[in-house]
Amino acid sequence: MAGIGGFARNGEGVTIGRTAAEAVWLPAAGEVLSAVAGTAYGLITQADFAAAIQGRTGVSANPALAKWLGPFLVRAAQECLALGRPPLVALVVEADSGRVGLAYDGVAAALGLPEPAGAREREKLAAEHRIECYRWAGAPEPAGGWYARTSP
């Protein structure tokens, strides 16, 4: 019966639950996102982010990306808050739109902020958080200074 109802598999092929997978992914997420933040206006797509943390850790999720990434981004935002970091998950965007998407509402809640009143407010909040991330990581400041970039 091993493997039935499991969330992910570790490098040895053993089925593990969400909590165990996230515990392994969180440090990798911090490393990946810190590197992205070190580049002025750096971003990473959801798929590339998921592939990076799974590749670094050898823990692969069984469910589709859409089923686990949003809750993991919320958990990663909580970890950033606990470690005194800016919400590095603001750097994770949808490939087709370049936006953080609905998952960021959960991130805002995890940070103790009110839920954004719509897509425009959500993207503005994420853009402001990105500037915090770039400054925190020491990204080279662009000519003319930082400004909150949102997707069209």
Side-chain angles (χ1 to χ4, degrees):
M1 280 209 178
I4 295 175
F7 175 76
R9 293 193 186 278
N10 66 17
E12 292 82 41
V14 175
T15 302
I16 61 175
R18 177 184 295 270
T19 302
E22 288 182 351
V24 174
W25 287 338
L26 283 171
E31 293 168 6
V32 169
L33 294 176
S34 293
V36 172
T39 302
Y41 296 115
L43 299 171
I44 187 169
T45 66
Q46 292 174 344
D48 288 345
F49 174 66
I53 63 172
Q54 290 181 68
R56 282 178 183 240
T57 63
V59 174
S60 300
N62 292 334
L65 182 67
K67 292 188 179 196
W68 66 267
L69 186 63
F72 178 69
L73 291 174
V74 170
R75 179 68 184 94
Q78 293 168 331
E79 182 78 356
C80 286
L81 185 63
L83 295 172
R85 296 177 178 167
L88 296 169
V89 297
L91 306 172
V92 181
V93 297
E94 298 171 340
D96 59 341
S97 68
R99 297 178 178 180
V100 290
L102 286 172
Y104 212 73
D105 290 355
V107 170
L111 298 173
L113 302 172
E115 184 175 321
R120 183 169 290 173
E121 188 177 321
R122 178 185 313 112
E123 297 307 318
K124 183 177 183 235
L125 176 64
E128 292 167 357
H129 286 158
R130 285 185 201 114
I131 292 174
E132 293 176 38
C133 295
Y134 303 137
R135 287 183 172 143
W136 170 83
E141 187 169 335
W146 294 106
Y147 65 95
R149 285 183 165 182
T150 58
S151 296

